[in-house]
Amino acid sequence: MNKIKSYVFNAYGALLDTYLPFEKYRDELGENALVIYKLWRSKRLQYSSQLSLMNQYTSYEKIRKYALDFACAVYGVESEDIKNQILKAHSELTCYPDVQEVLTTLKQAGMQTAVLSNGSPQKLNSTLRHAGINELLDGVYSTEQVRSYKPSPSVYEFVGEQLGLPRNKICFVSSNSWDIAGAVACGFHTAWINRYNRTPEHLPYKADHEIKDLSEILSLE
């Protein structure tokens, strides 16, 4: 993709492995650990979208907790200690095995690299430092700077302005197809990392590329 000058990643899911806290506490969560994780993910999106529509912007850290409380309640997990440990572990994630090599290669090729996330700036920067990839990123952008959440157009417009590039010179890389749809609608080039064979959204805003792991972006045309 010779025309691309910058790669922007969603942090949680594209770069950082978000399932690790649930794997760590699998014994405490029981056989429903995976479904609790999936419900937590979907509820975070629902709550952020719902609160945005209500014009009630709320810290994403609160949304993260509201969603986890709901998911745990559905499956009978009542321990506040376990929920607090999961939230703490979610701030201490590691990146997928290929991430550091890919970011390093992009930087060596003269590309800008950045993150655009719903996460709060403080938590986001702390987690990226913990994962050891903060120095491989030229920019870390949070939706809190816009006081709106993805997939609001204002979020993608904001990162384009910060990078100072036309949108078709930016490749937005996400593990969420709904996030990809938002970026496509705003004119970004896109690559969807579909590591787990998820069904794409049935919307007329499709990713330019669908890949199985991050390293594949290095060979896209």
Side-chain angles (χ1 to χ4, degrees):
M1 293 191 291
N2 293 331
K3 67 178 181 178
I4 299 300
K5 301 298 183 184
S6 180
Y7 286 83
V8 179
F9 304 88
N10 86 297
Y12 299 100
L15 303 181
L16 303 168
D17 187 348
T18 58
Y19 183 65
L20 291 177
F22 291 84
E23 185 67 36
K24 182 177 181 180
Y25 294 101
R26 178 180 287 276
D27 289 343
E28 290 84 349
L29 295 171
E31 62 182 5
N32 292 316
L34 180 58
V35 291
I36 292 172
Y37 167 71
K38 290 180 177 179
L39 182 56
W40 185 39
R41 289 181 71 252
S42 65
K43 274 294 171 180
R44 293 204 307 266
L45 174 59
Q46 178 189 329
Y47 286 165
S48 60
S49 298
Q50 184 176 345
L51 289 164
S52 291
L53 288 170
M54 293 163 59
N55 292 324
Q56 297 294 325
Y57 180 82
T58 303
S59 162
Y60 198 68
E61 301 315 311
K62 291 183 179 179
I63 291 174
R64 199 193 309 268
K65 186 177 188 308
Y66 296 155
L68 183 61
D69 285 342
F70 178 89
C72 286
V74 169
Y75 290 97
V77 177
E78 299 179 354
S79 171
E80 290 298 322
D81 181 60
I82 292 301
K83 289 187 282 187
N84 288 335
Q85 289 299 319
I86 289 172
L87 291 171
K88 181 176 184 294
H90 199 260
S91 299
E92 300 171 346
L93 300 174
T94 59
C95 56
Y96 286 98
D98 56 354
V99 169
Q100 290 198 357
E101 182 179 354
V102 170
L103 292 178
T104 299
T105 301
L106 291 175
K107 293 282 290 176
Q108 290 173 344
M111 301 290 179
Q112 285 184 317
T113 57
V115 155
L116 174 64
S117 174
N118 278 341
S120 67
Q122 181 179 2
K123 289 284 187 182
L124 189 56
N125 281 292
S126 174
T127 304
L128 293 170
R129 282 196 301 271
H130 182 273
I133 57 175
N134 57 307
E135 293 186 357
L136 297 173
L137 297 165
D138 297 305
V140 177
Y141 304 108
S142 166
T143 56
E144 188 172 301
Q145 295 168 274
V146 187
R147 295 186 67 79
S148 186
Y149 288 114
K150 295 188 289 183
S152 168
S154 61
V155 172
Y156 305 99
E157 291 166 0
F158 166 73
V159 78
E161 292 168 359
Q162 294 300 305
L163 294 172
L165 291 169
R167 296 175 198 173
N168 64 353
K169 301 289 186 183
I170 301 169
C171 182
F172 184 73
V173 185
S174 179
S175 58
N176 301 308
S177 58
W178 58 265
D179 196 7
I180 290 292
V184 171
C186 282
F188 286 82
H189 201 84
T190 56
W192 177 34
I193 308 177
N194 188 11
R195 290 188 179 92
Y196 305 110
N197 296 315
R198 292 179 176 138
T199 303
E201 304 297 336
H202 286 204
L203 292 170
Y205 305 101
K206 307 298 184 183
D208 296 289
H209 303 279
E210 180 178 337
I211 58 180
K212 293 296 183 184
D213 59 70
L214 198 65
S215 62
E216 291 182 45
I217 67 171
L218 300 176
S219 57
L220 296 180
E221 296 181 358

